[in-house]
Amino acid sequence: MIPCNDSIRVFEQYKDEFEAAALGVLRSGRYVLGNNVKEFEKEFAASVGSKFCVGVDNGTNAIKIGMQALGIGKGDEVLVQANTYIATVLGITANGATPIFVEPNEFHNMDENDIEHRITNKTKAIIVTHLYGQATKMDKIISLCEKYHLYLLEDCAQAHYAEFNNKKVGTFGILGFFSFYPTKNIGAFGDGGAVVTDDEKLYEKIKMLRNYGSSIRYDFELENGHNSRLDEIQAALLRVKIKHAEEITNEKVSIANIYLSEISNPLVELPRVDKGCKSVWHLFVLKVDDRDAFIKHMNECGVQTDIHYPIPPHLSKCYKSLNHHEGEYPKAEYLAKHVVDLPIFNGMTTEEVNSVIKAVNSYGK
Ligand SMILES: Cc1ncc(COP(=O)(O)O)c(C=O)c1O
């Protein structure tokens, strides 16, 4: 079976470097907030074009702590796209704020034309998710944030180094949030996350919030601090990934380009990339009418598929109290029923790519 993702392959590609990095930490005796976290933060900030970076324990907490640092809380509304991963929304509700959902566009990102009518005097921020690796078209969203004095936040968990108009995601808003979950384009070997910003005060605050609300040992300054630090060993491993980020990204882009040129089946709708938006192809997501039949066919051909995501956040059980109902966000709900992703990962062989193409092209024939 060709898996949808296989994290061991990228390990094998740079095995010696990863092993040396991990051993270096094990032998250093410094396992929390050491030199690797410090250097990782500098290197990652520079690689995305931000001034500052704070390494945290995962992407969900990056969002949660980032919003906390901005003072987003009870009584505030945050606009978020209706087809994002639940973690984006958890970051809002963990702070006591209310998510206001916005429909996605045909590129699976926030629909810039569905935003303005949802802005109220309670709206504090818009968080865009650059979903599946494709940068969101940012110009109109930036203008709306300026017009209504809203914080612009970016969930870049799936889109390391994606670009809109040649500028990397994470640098458009006041805060950019990243996940380094192992299957992400830039993934750790365990959990990891980061917040990037150009704002020095916020940087200092987030650094404290991730460390019990303190910058001086046993002097606790900020309320509701967390233990949400990026592990030293993950930082060391991520530094290897950052060093090879261009190759890692390009490999996924080239697999996506082969899919785009070789898959041809009228029963399958290929993903498209919006003008000015670069995708780093974290996921390769198709739309099909009869998804169950497609998945069954792919399985019979020895190809695993996956669904990101089968239930939109507004219909998730955990948000029952928000009183949303089916039919409220028809575009997001349509996607939840029809999207399906193909295998795409670093270290995928040419034979595997060709088998996936053959399987998709033979669907319904
Ligand atoms: C869009 C999006 N946001 C946030 C997250 C949360 O990241 P993590 O799993 O590191 O908490 C993810 C991870 O899957 C994600 O895909």
Side-chain angles (χ1 to χ4, degrees):
M1 188 68 114
I2 299 170
C4 230
N5 206 321
D6 190 3
S7 303
I8 194 88
R9 308 267 188 109
V10 75
F11 167 71
E12 281 159 358
Q13 286 175 318
Y14 307 102
K15 189 169 185 275
D16 293 346
E17 287 175 74
F18 288 132
E19 289 183 351
L23 261 182
V25 175
L26 291 176
R27 287 176 176 162
S28 73
R30 181 76 196 249
Y31 307 125
V32 176
L33 293 186
N35 194 50
N36 277 294
V37 170
K38 239 189 231 135
E39 291 304 311
F40 160 79
E41 290 175 340
K42 280 190 216 148
E43 290 162 9
F44 191 65
S47 76
V48 300
S50 252
K51 282 199 186 132
F52 306 104
C53 165
V54 185
V56 294
D57 52 350
N58 56 65
T60 309
N61 284 341
I63 301 168
K64 187 170 99 181
I65 293 173
M67 290 198 187
Q68 183 185 352
L70 289 168
I72 292 171
K74 209 164 181 294
D76 296 333
E77 293 178 349
V78 177
L79 269 56
V80 57
Q81 77 206 53
N83 63 327
T84 189
Y85 183 50
I86 198 81
T88 326
V89 191
L90 290 174
I92 301 168
T93 54
N95 282 297
T98 304
I100 303 295
F101 295 101
V102 176
E103 285 274 44
N105 60 20
E106 64 208 275
F107 308 98
H108 306 127
N109 280 330
M110 186 177 275
D111 182 353
E112 60 184 15
N113 298 314
D114 190 48
I115 297 173
E116 195 162 12
H117 68 109
R118 301 188 189 274
I119 295 174
T120 70
N121 56 10
K122 291 184 185 161
T123 313
K124 270 278 160 61
I126 299 179
I127 181 164
V128 298
T129 302
H130 305 288
L131 203 66
Y132 307 149
Q134 180 172 179
T136 304
K137 196 164 170 289
M138 294 303 293
D139 39 5
K140 186 164 176 191
I141 299 177
I142 292 169
S143 307
L144 287 169
C145 285
E146 284 168 358
K147 181 172 170 190
Y148 293 98
H149 308 290
L150 309 176
Y151 291 126
L152 174 57
L153 308 172
E154 295 174 78
D155 181 343
C156 313
Q158 301 191 1
H160 314 74
Y161 308 117
E163 292 173 4
F164 171 64
N165 284 350
N166 301 316
K167 185 171 154 68
K168 290 195 175 62
V169 300
T171 60
F172 292 94
I174 188 150
L175 296 174
F177 308 117
F178 289 85
S179 163
F180 303 115
Y181 183 77
T183 57
K184 297 291 195 269
N185 276 23
I186 302 297
F189 293 81
D191 279 308
V195 183
V196 299
T197 185
D198 280 349
D199 185 313
E200 191 164 4
K201 280 205 180 110
L202 274 173
Y203 160 69
E204 295 294 347
K205 195 167 177 188
I206 293 165
K207 232 172 25 160
M208 287 165 78
L209 284 172
R210 74 152 176 207
N211 191 42
Y212 313 110
S214 151
S215 59
I216 300 165
R217 199 158 177 248
Y218 301 139
D219 180 359
F220 304 103
E221 207 177 312
L222 298 180
E223 248 182 278
N224 300 318
H226 309 267
N227 177 354
S228 276
R229 301 169 297 224
L230 176 67
D231 268 343
E232 184 69 5
I233 200 160
Q234 299 303 341
L237 293 163
L238 282 167
R239 292 181 68 197
V240 176
K241 287 256 176 112
I242 295 173
K243 204 167 105 196
H244 297 290
E246 204 173 320
E247 287 153 52
I248 290 172
T249 306
N250 288 345
E251 193 185 343
K252 292 198 80 168
V253 171
S254 61
I255 297 169
N257 284 337
I258 298 171
Y259 282 163
L260 289 172
S261 66
E262 303 283 323
I263 293 175
S264 163
N265 185 333
L267 298 176
V268 161
E269 190 180 331
L270 287 166
R272 291 187 302 119
V273 179
D274 204 354
K275 211 168 152 245
C277 303
K278 180 181 160 188
S279 180
V280 293
W281 297 102
H282 168 53
L283 299 172
F284 193 91
V285 178
L286 306 174
K287 288 194 274 279
V288 284
D289 278 341
D290 190 347
R291 184 168 66 188
D292 290 344
F294 179 77
I295 291 171
K296 185 167 174 281
H297 167 80
M298 294 300 283
N299 254 306
E300 285 163 2
C301 295
V303 179
Q304 196 183 53
T305 53
D306 205 348
I307 299 170
H308 289 85
Y309 299 93
I311 305 171
H314 71 282
L315 298 179
S316 292
K317 288 192 203 82
C318 61
Y319 288 130
K320 217 169 160 234
S321 64
L322 295 176
N323 290 319
H324 289 292
H325 57 83
E326 194 145 4
E328 212 176 332
Y329 291 93
K331 289 181 185 165
E333 290 164 26
Y334 175 87
L335 290 176
K337 291 194 178 91
H338 296 278
V339 291
V340 55
D341 39 306
L342 298 181
I344 185 163
F345 53 88
N346 289 95
M348 206 175 164
T349 65
T350 307
E351 292 75 48
E352 285 171 327
V353 172
N354 288 339
S355 299
V356 172
I357 294 165
K358 206 168 145 199
V360 179
N361 286 344
S362 63
Y363 169 60
K365 308 243 160 92

